[in-house]
Amino acid sequence: MQIDCGIIGLPNVGKSTLFRILTNAPAKIANFPFCTIHPNISVVQIPDSRIYQLMDIVSSNETVHGKIKFVDIAGLIKGAAQGIGMGSKILNYVRSAKVLCHVVRCFDDNQIVHVFNDIDPHRDVGIVNTELILFDIMQCEKSICTLQKKYKFINADVEQQLFVLKKCLDYLYDGVLLRKVCFSKVERTNVEKFNFLTIKPIVYFANIDEKSVTNNIYLNQLIALTSHDAMPLISCRSMLSLLKNRDDCVTTIRKQQTDILYDTVSAIFSVLNLRTFFTINLHMTCAWIYMIGMTALEAANKVHSDFKKGFIRVKIIKFNDFIFYNGELGVKKVGKIYYSGKDYCVEDGDILEFLFKI
Ligand SMILES: Nc1nc2c(ncn2[C@@H]2O[C@H](COP(=O)(O)OP(=O)(O)OP(=O)(O)O)[C@@H](O)[C@H]2O)c(=O)[nH]1
Ligand SMILES: [Mg+2]
């Protein structure tokens, strides 16, 4: 499973700088708004040290890590939903992301242009959110119209869709982001069909000044505003200058870079409710990303559809046991191999083997 993550925010706040730090991929960075027009895209491995610990014991020929795709999208401005500043194109990129990383400027620097001349995270976040809301309103109204035109005789299914769309519209008119709205299970299934922007989970990035991490008024504003959202802090500038001086101490820089990627991925896992299970054999050690609540049968299907078709049961070894007892033989000796049926709820770090008939 690959996670698609869109990096959004106002122009010139450090989105491409963050993209470069996270991916090591080239991206143009410059001190003027709309430096990025076409999105920068890069796929990176999800850092998970457990895969190396497993490799130490299993010595597979190959490792397969989870993957995350970062898309650095052009800056959003007021009027984007109406098409200003390539607005609709940008918002379509936002639509294809599963999760959003919203970069917010929290540093003072007279040399770096801000599109509104002063620093105000509250206003900046509000502007971006308003554009996302306006775009959702347009899509919601359009979908209601289409459904009403298409179905002259409205059946129960269409009625449910119309009901949930009207519910969304009421909240959006009130300026509420859809991810803050409580939906029943049925409503959520219906609402997910429309891939709204404001329902996407979000991770805020406070782009801070490295000197004012502890007493940064902008940061406090942002924390108050986004109290329930994950928020890694990053000083893009200091990281970037480190990256430029690669000769300094490559390992230290790499470590800092990996830490930022790690924090980012952890925040994304948290808002998307993701976890990892493993499969191991002599050929391959694989990390599989899944959503909390997944059953053994669903996990089997993820690995190979034949495993689902002929599913008999699943063999489970807990990651910590595998490491502590130095592999499967050790785990077996202490009786810590478990077997379960198709409804077993997979847990983070499970090492799974599917027993199936052909
Ligand atoms: N002082 C300071 N400057 C920064 C920081 N992060 C980025 N910058 C500078 O801000 C300017 C814009 O950075 P970019 O990464 O290009 O910003 P962006 O959001 O991608 O900009 P657009 O693509 O134009 O929307 C560059 O001159 C960066 O060096 C920071 O943490 N501190
Ligand atoms: Mg950029």
Side-chain angles (χ1 to χ4, degrees), residues 313-318 321 331 334-340 344 351 353:
R313 58 186 174 153
V314 62
K315 180 167 127 189
I316 308 148
I317 301 178
K318 297 290 166 191
D321 289 340
V331 177
V334 291
K336 283 183 177 275
I337 295 183
Y338 310 101
Y339 292 89
S340 234
Y344 169 74
I351 300 166
E353 187 182 331

Side-chain angles (χ1 to χ4, degrees), residues 11-17 30 32 34-36 107 109 207 236-237:
N12 217 42
V13 293
K15 300 181 298 299
S16 301
T17 316
F32 59 84
F34 298 110
C35 169
T36 305
F107 62 86
D109 186 339
N207 191 2
C236 283
R237 170 83 127 219

